[in-house]
Amino acid sequence: MLPSNSVAKITAKTALKNKWLQAITVCLILIVVFLIQIFFEQMIRIFVLESGKFLDGVDSYAGGLWNGILNLFLTVSSLALTFLLVFPLVLGVVRWFWRMTGEAKDTVGVVFYYFGTGERFKRSVAVFFGLLWRNLVVGLLSFIPFFMAVILTNFAAEYDINQIMLFSVDFGNVINTIFLILGCVVYLILTLRYYMVLWVTVACPRLSVKQVFKTSVGFAKGTKAAYFVFILSFTGWAFISFLALPLLFTLPYFIAANAVFSRFVITNANLKASKV
């Protein structure tokens, strides 16, 4: 049986008792690394703009070529930093909270666990890459009707063939909005099946990446709706977090509560399996 939202939150608060400073530090490490990445990207972007302006004054073709090369470099370096630095660290943070809610007494330095060996590092990157391409495929499939409707509406507007298309451009825009909303709903439903992936990764370190996704989808069956309602219960906390400083308290609380919820999901699934 899954816990109520209040039970999961109370359990998370209990687990965080006397560990708030460590939990905040763990989250702060992740936030600082994320901000450093953004700073790095912005510095390169400024360099690209300034160098492009200089070259444009000398040779417009050279300036355009230089901008294209540096923008490509910016994209590649950003992706590389995300995959090679941020993602393993995120998984390390998830692991720290998973173990903390299981009464482990890990130090803050354990967040760098997935940088410890090449095998752990490759596994963390592979898990996030698996999540990325699955979400991209699901996103493309979910929004195909929306993309087609937009193309059709733009075609009708450009060539003024509303009567042939049997609808006005204004009506087409309404249809576009409907398909956009439906696409978002479908995308949400389909991607929720992966909500346990990170928790299964840290809870079952011996599973292969393929097994992690298969097991996670199994755990998500019958629990996606409950998890969605659970996440919605943090809406108020999310708005408070926009003030920045409260994020240092709401983020540890949110991750800890997710760890507790996931523990209940896994325990419940194991109990059901043992009765079969």
Side-chain angles (χ1 to χ4, degrees), residues 9-57:
K9 291 177 179 179
I10 291 172
T11 306
K13 290 177 182 177
T14 302
L16 283 166
K17 189 176 181 180
N18 299 323
K19 296 180 181 178
W20 272 104
L21 182 59
Q22 283 182 299
I24 291 172
T25 304
V26 165
C27 291
L28 194 57
I29 290 172
L30 180 60
I31 292 171
V32 169
V33 170
F34 181 70
L35 291 176
I36 290 174
Q37 181 190 7
I38 294 176
F39 176 78
F40 175 76
E41 291 176 4
Q42 291 304 314
M43 290 298 98
I44 295 179
R45 196 177 299 278
I46 291 172
F47 176 71
V48 169
L49 290 175
E50 292 302 320
S51 59
K53 288 178 182 178
F54 172 76
L55 288 175
D56 278 339

Side-chain angles (χ1 to χ4, degrees), residues 135-167:
N135 276 272
L136 285 174
V137 170
V138 170
L140 288 173
L141 294 176
S142 300
F143 291 100
I144 283 177
F146 168 70
F147 294 142
M148 293 181 66
V150 169
I151 292 171
L152 193 61
T153 302
N154 290 339
F155 182 77
E158 183 174 354
Y159 294 99
D160 195 23
I161 52 175
N162 296 334
Q163 293 182 350
I164 299 176
M165 302 303 293
L166 301 180
F167 62 81

Side-chain angles (χ1 to χ4, degrees), residues 38 89 110 234 266 274:
I38 294 176
L89 187 58
V110 174
F234 285 92
I266 293 175
S274 65

Side-chain angles (χ1 to χ4, degrees), residues 247-258:
L247 183 64
L248 293 177
F249 299 93
T250 57
L251 186 58
Y253 175 45
F254 176 74
I255 300 176
N258 270 268

